[in-house]
Amino acid sequence: MLTCKAGTSLGRPFKSVEALRAPPLWSLFPAQVLSAKMEGVSYPKLLFLVAIVPGIVTGLELSINANTADYELVTEVGLSQSLWCTVKHPSQAEELLWMRGDREVSLQEGNRVNASNVCISPVTDEDNGVSFTCQLARDKSVQISVLLNVAYAPVLTGEDPPSIPAQWDATLDCHVKANPPAQLTWLKDNETLRLEDSRYWVFQTSELFQLTINQLQASDGGIYTCLAHSPRGMSRKDFHLVIEEEKMPFPTEAVIAAGVVLSLIALFALAVRWQKFIQCFKKADASSHTAL
């Protein structure tokens, strides 16, 4: 980089100009320089050759909303944001491209050359952390990006678990989205849950607040609330936990044993009656022979 300075008669500088040092022509066009030496092409003609390829020597610079370097744009849900990308000091018509993340944005005709605009309206929580990049169409290495930092109140989602038998484990998943991050708390029937109980276990990430209850008891049934606080506001999500009553197991073995006993008693009673019937029959037969 070259620096040109000028001063007054007193020696104090009043102007300083910096410029990029251009590489020597022979390093950019070695073949043309060699050809010029061999064929007697004049130096002005070689300069003309360089002039028809703009941007190689001087370089091009892009800006978004007057920012010439990547930056972060702080905004809020519901607002609109307009992003203007311009080519600084173009020497010819330069086509521009816009990328949202890794996807190209569709631009209308007349919104591509030397200046291009993208409007985000309205801004949503889905735009948080998304990068918008403006690129030079003929050289995508020439680019500039803006990262959206979207502030919004906590958003909580989740589903009620199915009814669960006693002595089983239950897990409640509270999915969280918030910027800035929120402070999270579990309530049971509108009272802060005492997590000192060893049966409770909490797992937390930036997007999940999970509560697990081990060995469910009948008293664990009720309404559990995932509560989120942040500078942008408060949000809550209720989960209904239903505990199935413990059912007495069917006494299969006892029923079988009782059935066997009853069957034996019935057979014994039948055998006794049958024996009495035979004895009675024998007595009647004896009486008939005596009468003869």
Side-chain angles (χ1 to χ4, degrees):
M1 177 175 290
L2 300 178
T3 303
C4 177
K5 294 184 178 180
T8 66
S9 58
L10 298 179
R12 289 179 296 181
F14 67 90
K15 186 68 173 179
S16 176
V17 179
E18 293 184 346
L20 294 175
R21 184 193 299 271
L25 294 177
W26 60 265
S27 66
L28 295 173
F29 301 93
Q32 288 83 343
V33 172
L34 180 60
S35 176
K37 291 181 179 178
M38 294 179 61
E39 300 178 7
V41 177
S42 64
Y43 192 74
K45 290 184 178 180
L46 186 58
L47 291 179
F48 175 76
L49 177 62
V50 175
I52 65 174
V53 187
I56 294 181
V57 176
T58 59
L60 290 175
E61 188 178 26
L62 304 180
S63 67
I64 296 180
N65 293 358
N67 294 278
T68 56
D70 295 348
Y71 71 103
E72 182 181 88
L73 176 61
V74 179
T75 184
E76 299 180 10
V77 167
L79 298 182
S80 296
Q81 293 294 338
S82 182
L83 305 178
W84 276 100
C85 178
T86 57
V87 181
K88 297 178 71 68
H89 312 301
S91 57
Q92 67 176 28
E94 296 289 354
E95 183 179 355
L96 298 173
L97 303 176
W98 275 101
M99 303 292 293
R100 184 186 189 278
D102 57 357
R103 295 185 178 183
E104 184 174 346
V105 178
S106 178
L107 299 175
Q108 296 181 351
E109 292 296 331
N111 188 27
R112 300 170 182 242
V113 179
N114 291 342
S116 181
N117 170 255
V118 169
C119 185
I120 309 166
S121 180
V123 174
T124 70
D125 56 0
E126 297 296 330
D127 295 315
N128 183 50
V130 174
S131 179
F132 284 83
T133 302
C134 179
Q135 299 176 336
L136 201 64
R138 67 182 178 91
D139 184 359
K140 293 181 174 58
S141 65
V142 180
Q143 63 178 20
I144 183 173
S145 298
V146 54
L147 179 68
L148 297 189
N149 183 348
V150 183
Y152 56 94
V155 178
L156 306 179
T157 57
E159 296 182 358
D160 289 341
S163 57
I164 304 175
Q167 299 304 315
W168 286 31
D169 298 342
T171 299
L172 307 178
D173 291 335
C174 180
H175 298 278
V176 184
K177 292 179 63 178
N179 187 36
Q183 294 184 346
L184 300 166
T185 308
W186 279 107
L187 308 179
K188 181 181 185 296
D189 298 330
N190 289 323
E191 294 185 1
T192 302
L193 190 63
R194 296 182 178 275
L195 299 177
E196 293 83 3
D197 191 329
S198 60
R199 294 187 306 113
Y200 296 137
W201 184 74
V202 173
F203 174 74
Q204 183 174 356
T205 67
S206 60
E207 298 181 349
L208 177 65
F209 193 45
Q210 184 182 77
L211 173 66
T212 299
I213 308 172
N214 297 317
Q215 298 179 346
L216 289 173
Q217 302 173 3
S219 59
D220 291 324
I223 300 177
Y224 290 79
T225 303
C226 177
L227 190 64
H229 288 275
S230 85
R232 307 299 302 181
M234 182 190 75
S235 183
R236 60 184 292 157
K237 171 63 181 175
D238 291 337
F239 296 84
H240 297 81
L241 181 60
V242 178
I243 311 299
E244 293 182 1
E245 294 183 2
E246 188 174 1
K247 298 179 180 179
M248 295 296 295
F250 187 75
T252 306
E253 296 181 357
V255 170
I256 294 175
V260 171
V261 171
L262 291 175
S263 299
L264 291 175
I265 292 175
L267 289 174
F268 180 75
L270 182 61
V272 170
R273 293 194 62 181
W274 177 258
Q275 186 176 10
K276 289 183 178 181
F277 175 76
I278 294 298
Q279 290 177 354
C280 180
F281 181 76
K282 288 181 178 180
K283 289 180 179 181
D285 186 56
S287 298
S288 62
H289 284 292
T290 303
L292 293 174

